[in-house]
Amino acid sequence: MKNILLIGGSYGIGLAIAKELQYENKVFVASRTNAEIAEMHVTHIPFDATTDTLDTSKLPEIIDGLVYCPGSINLRPFRGLKPEAFEQDLQINFISLVKVIQSVLPNLTASNQSSIVLFSSVAASMGMPFHTSVAAAKGAVEGFAKALAAEYAPKIRVNVIAPSLTDTPLAEKFLSNDDKKEKSAQRHPLKRVGTSEDMAQMASFLLSEKSSWISGQIFHVDGGMSTLLVNG
């Protein structure tokens, strides 16, 4: 069984990944809350990515997989965004990610070949209005992932999942009624909004031996939005 560490696995995509992995792996969930995972086959570690230092003493010496899930959706016109908003998005999406990876780097390198899975956004590759802050933060994640993958190959694989709008608690205000969900679905070539399970299945694949020859890649799990022009 592999030892998998999820940063932020108590709701949304992280929770879906924990459910996907819990029976065939030893899963450690570092998150602020544990209500949703209390009855699951996982080990919970209290942790707030924005304020805490991860207690590595509660982790096994070998970590075979790491998934960093915390993120933000801060969609506002650029003219109304203060520099502090950019700093906050960088902090949760990127700086905290860097701190986590550095803290468990010895555990990751102790594995025969470990896998890191990070999350970006379709907005990092497509120009979208009102996305300047989140696109900048996620762009940092993508550039970092490729450089890290090169530096630690073949010992550590690093890949990124870049979703479009996904039906999670984080995106609740954008999908708060059937009309909003339908309009969002119609903007995607595959005519539906993404689900946490869509992302969990891709993450599970990237953590598994089935992806052992894949590293430094950005996977657009986005209903075809980033590459298919089928509307209009």
Side-chain angles (χ1 to χ4, degrees):
M1 297 180 77
K2 290 187 175 184
N3 295 322
I4 307 295
L5 172 61
L6 305 182
I7 305 298
S10 56
Y11 72 97
I13 293 172
L15 177 60
I17 296 172
K19 289 179 178 178
E20 181 83 12
L21 299 177
Q22 64 176 321
Y23 295 113
E24 296 182 5
N25 304 272
K26 293 182 179 179
V27 179
F28 298 81
V29 176
S31 64
R32 290 175 295 180
T33 62
N34 70 336
E36 295 294 328
I37 61 173
E39 304 300 321
M40 293 172 56
H41 292 78
V42 303
T43 299
H44 180 251
I45 301 172
F47 178 67
D48 185 329
T50 60
T51 58
D52 298 342
T53 298
L54 185 63
D55 185 357
T56 57
S57 68
K58 297 182 179 181
L59 296 172
E61 292 185 4
I62 297 174
I63 295 177
D64 302 293
L66 167 66
V67 185
Y68 184 90
C69 300
S72 58
I73 305 179
N74 184 16
L75 308 187
R76 292 165 57 193
F78 174 69
R79 66 178 180 273
L81 281 171
K82 295 182 179 180
E84 290 78 11
F86 285 85
E87 291 173 355
Q88 290 171 2
D89 279 341
L90 278 170
Q91 182 65 50
I92 185 62
N93 289 282
F94 180 59
I95 302 300
S96 295
L97 175 159
V98 170
K99 291 179 179 179
V100 165
I101 292 177
Q102 287 185 331
S103 69
V104 298
L105 194 56
N107 311 68
L108 291 165
T109 55
S111 175
N112 289 331
Q113 186 190 69
S114 56
S115 173
I116 296 175
V117 178
L118 308 177
F119 281 91
S120 179
S121 165
V122 66
S125 60
M126 295 182 67
M128 293 181 169
F130 314 125
H131 283 69
T132 53
S133 183
V134 67
K138 294 302 192 181
V141 171
E142 292 191 6
F144 166 81
K146 292 178 183 179
L148 190 69
E151 186 168 340
Y152 281 91
K155 196 66 174 175
I156 302 174
R157 297 186 297 109
V158 187
N159 292 288
V160 179
I161 299 172
S164 181
L165 187 62
T166 305
D167 193 358
T168 67
L170 191 64
E172 185 176 7
K173 65 180 179 180
F174 304 105
L175 300 168
S176 56
N177 57 54
D178 291 341
D179 183 58
K180 287 183 178 180
K181 288 183 179 180
E182 179 60 23
K183 287 182 177 178
S184 181
Q186 290 306 312
R187 284 196 292 268
H188 295 78
L190 295 186
K191 302 306 178 186
R192 71 171 175 87
V193 173
T195 67
S196 296
E197 289 71 27
D198 292 324
M199 307 309 150
Q201 289 166 22
M202 176 56 82
S204 178
F205 168 70
L206 292 173
L207 291 168
S208 75
E209 295 301 320
K210 294 178 181 179
S211 64
S212 62
W213 209 45
I214 299 175
S215 190
Q217 303 302 310
I218 313 298
F219 290 91
H220 292 271
V221 186
D222 59 12
M225 176 173 280
S226 63
T227 52
L228 307 180
L229 181 61
V230 300
N231 297 317

